[in-house]
Amino acid sequence: MPGPLSLPALCHFLLPWAFATFHKALGDPATHPGPHYLLPPIHEVIHSRRGATATLPCVLGAPPPSYKVRWSKVEPGELRETLILITNGLQARGYGPLGGRARMRRGHRLDASLVIEGVRLEDEGRYRCELINGIEDESVALTLRLEGVVFPYQPSRGRYQFNYYEAKQACEEQDGRLATYAQLYQAWTEGLDWCNAGWLLEGSVRYPVLTARAPCGGPGRPGIRSYGPRDRKRDRYDAFCFTSMTAGHVFFVPGRLTLSEAHAACRRRGATVAKVGHLYAAWKFSGLDQCDGGWLADGSVRFPITSPRPRCGGLPDPGVRSFGFPRAQQAAFGTYCYSE
């Protein structure tokens, strides 16, 4: 049976561990596993808004003799990455629709950070900065997250009319895009409670429940209820859309207007009838509060409430209230206009 370890032998085993622990506590990048060229990001989630300029940090601790840096975007639900930009430290080349708005920051010779100008809704997601040196490649992953608002959407025909691709198009027509699961989850934590299931960008179908009740899946814990992955062409549900701050502003025009008269009223003011996403963004980011139903571009009538009161929808929480889709010839509402 082996005897106890001598003091020199014990030091031989423990000293490397002690030094590694000490350097890690100091933040020494040389102690990280792998080839040690890319520094771990201080913040893995970068927050931005639509129209802003966002910087995704990627910094080398030391440059290898020969290398390239490849930036790509991980597309949710599609199991693929979209190439954005490749650089060798001296020159860079952009690829795809995002490549035209992306450039290297070049703050110093070891800076491989990516700058995205004019951030769009579709830019939200996960990005990868990959160092390619021909021996041992390594990468860091970052998430670009937009401040925004999720809203449920269904067409005038009623609920559960969209397959996945129709839901995606419907959100884009209302100045939004299909929400991700992370966006729906955040909206649920902020108070979104909705019984109708809707498509998400990843291809799943879910709905958020704050108060469990019989019409909303029965008893159980509050949370995001899931139908799981569905057939994108055959199955039909509503949509959960996501939008962010807009460049323009929304204003209300009072009156008893038909839908066509609403379009004319906005045109006379150098504007267009607002889309559903415009109204939600104005409610979320500008605090628009108007206790009057108004036409929107899709033919629905809605109004935004930031300070709930008895004669403005009667609900206790802030939100965008809906009168549904009245007849377009019904002269009973004002209109919400959007101007940039």
Side-chain angles (χ1 to χ4, degrees):
M1 178 177 293
L5 288 174
S6 65
L7 181 60
L10 189 62
C11 290
H12 174 77
F13 284 106
L14 291 181
L15 280 177
W17 171 84
F19 278 117
T21 303
F22 175 73
H23 284 293
K24 185 173 183 180
L26 293 178
D28 186 349
T31 64
H32 290 274
H36 324 307
Y37 289 120
L38 291 179
L39 299 180
I42 297 175
H43 302 290
E44 295 183 356
V45 177
I46 309 301
H47 296 272
S48 187
R49 288 182 175 181
R50 178 163 54 178
T53 297
T55 300
L56 304 180
C58 184
V59 179
L60 283 69
S66 176
Y67 72 95
K68 292 181 179 179
V69 171
R70 177 183 186 270
W71 275 99
S72 60
K73 184 172 187 289
V74 182
E75 301 296 346
E78 298 184 17
L79 301 178
R80 66 183 179 89
E81 295 188 9
T82 299
L83 181 61
I84 301 171
L85 185 145
I86 294 180
T87 180
N88 61 3
L90 299 174
Q91 297 178 326
R93 180 179 178 182
Y95 295 85
L98 185 53
R101 295 183 288 113
R103 59 178 174 83
M104 304 303 298
R105 181 171 64 178
R106 299 187 187 282
H108 49 81
R109 67 186 186 89
L110 300 178
D111 188 8
S113 303
L114 184 74
V115 176
I116 301 175
E117 297 177 339
V119 170
R120 300 175 183 175
L121 294 178
E122 60 268 25
D123 295 342
E124 171 156 322
R126 196 160 178 80
Y127 290 77
R128 190 185 311 279
C129 174
E130 183 178 12
L131 179 72
I132 304 171
N133 66 5
I135 302 175
E136 291 185 83
D137 300 342
E138 58 179 304
S139 66
V140 295
L142 302 109
T143 298
L144 178 62
R145 185 163 296 163
L146 270 64
E147 297 178 33
V149 57
V150 173
F151 59 94
Y153 189 76
Q154 60 181 224
S156 59
R157 304 187 304 275
R159 74 173 198 158
Y160 295 175
Q161 299 293 321
F162 296 135
N163 66 24
Y164 173 82
Y165 303 99
E166 292 165 345
K168 192 174 182 180
Q169 180 180 351
C171 289
E172 292 169 357
E173 290 174 350
Q174 298 307 316
D175 192 51
R177 72 189 297 246
L178 275 178
T180 64
Y181 172 77
Q183 290 166 345
L184 183 65
Y185 182 86
Q186 180 171 342
W188 171 72
T189 65
E190 295 173 354
L192 182 60
D193 183 277
W194 198 255
C195 276
N196 293 342
W199 289 103
L200 296 179
L201 186 62
E202 298 88 348
S204 63
V205 173
R206 304 174 188 261
Y207 61 100
V209 174
L210 279 175
T211 304
R213 51 204 186 274
C216 295
R221 297 180 62 183
I224 307 294
R225 306 286 173 87
S226 176
Y227 285 12
R230 313 301 288 182
D231 188 296
R232 297 190 181 196
K233 292 183 178 180
R234 185 187 67 233
D235 293 328
R236 296 188 172 272
Y237 298 95
D238 291 346
F240 285 106
C241 306
F242 174 84
T243 193
S244 184
M245 176 175 283
T246 63
H249 71 282
V250 173
F251 59 94
F252 179 71
V253 176
R256 299 181 66 84
L257 309 172
T258 65
L259 180 56
S260 61
E261 290 170 342
H263 281 281
C266 290
R267 284 196 299 269
R268 287 195 299 270
R269 292 162 173 82
T272 60
V273 175
K275 299 178 178 181
V276 177
H278 293 152
L279 188 63
Y280 270 91
W283 166 74
K284 175 75 172 182
F285 295 106
S286 301
L288 184 61
D289 184 286
Q290 185 75 41
C291 194
D292 298 281
W295 291 105
L296 296 180
D298 66 339
S300 64
V301 172
R302 307 173 193 250
F303 61 100
I305 296 298
T306 57
S307 299
R309 44 208 186 271
R311 294 175 178 257
C312 291
L315 298 177
D317 299 316
V320 175
R321 318 287 193 235
S322 175
F323 285 112
F325 293 83
R327 291 184 300 106
Q329 298 78 22
Q330 184 175 344
F333 308 100
T335 185
Y336 290 95
C337 302
Y338 177 76
S339 176
E340 291 191 344

